[in-house]
Amino acid sequence: MSRVVILHGRPGQDEYFSDDYPSASNSHWLPWLQKQLLMVGHDVQTPEMVNAFAPDYAVWQKEFARHLVDEPMALIGHSTGAGFLVRWLSEHPQIQVESLVLVAPWLDPFSELGSDFFDFTNKGHFCFNDLGTDQFPELLQVLQDR
């Protein structure tokens, strides 16, 4: 059984403090993917970052460290979670990673830069509203093929 850690992105502050939305680690496709991987025997963790609407690298590092194991593991990050993994891995080159999947690292999803430089996907920022579902079978397939 291998460890898989799935990191969520940065929710808006209004979403973070609203009862109308699940916590960041329980939204979009994350719980679906966690369940699929659990059912085939993986140890899957989806840490919840405190005050995720205002990411603090030191806080994220501390919470993430609680989910590490000594064996190679798979890491999956969405949006800000993907950015965190890039930085964290660059600072911890000794860590053995079996797989690294970065889903929609922040790439100007709302075209704030005013160019089409990042206009390459019809899945938007891979959130529920963009996908139209809470499932992400393509990502599951990538993980199963590794």
Side-chain angles (χ1 to χ4, degrees), residues 1 50 53 99 101 113 123 127 133 145:
M1 180 182 329
V50 176
F53 63 90
S99 299
V101 178
L113 298 178
K123 303 289 188 193
C127 295
T133 180
D145 291 346

Side-chain angles (χ1 to χ4, degrees), residues 1 3-4 14 25-26 34 42 53 94 96 111 117 126 128-129 133 140 146:
M1 180 182 329
R3 168 69 55 101
V4 179
D14 57 336
S25 66
N26 289 299
Q34 180 182 34
H42 294 283
F53 63 90
Q94 75 283 5
Q96 299 254 343
S111 301
F117 190 81
F126 292 80
F128 178 82
N129 289 340
T133 180
L140 180 61
R146 62 179 170 91

Side-chain angles (χ1 to χ4, degrees), residues 68 75 87 122 127 138:
L68 299 177
L75 302 175
R87 178 176 175 186
N122 63 357
C127 295
E138 298 90 347

Side-chain angles (χ1 to χ4, degrees), residues 57-76:
Y57 185 71
V59 171
W60 284 52
Q61 276 193 102
K62 185 176 179 180
E63 179 58 29
F64 182 66
R66 294 177 351 105
H67 302 277
L68 299 177
V69 293
D70 289 335
E71 61 194 45
M73 65 191 130
L75 302 175
I76 302 166

Side-chain angles (χ1 to χ4, degrees), residues 128-139:
F128 178 82
N129 289 340
D130 301 321
L131 296 174
T133 180
D134 62 357
Q135 299 180 10
F136 196 172
E138 298 90 347
L139 177 54

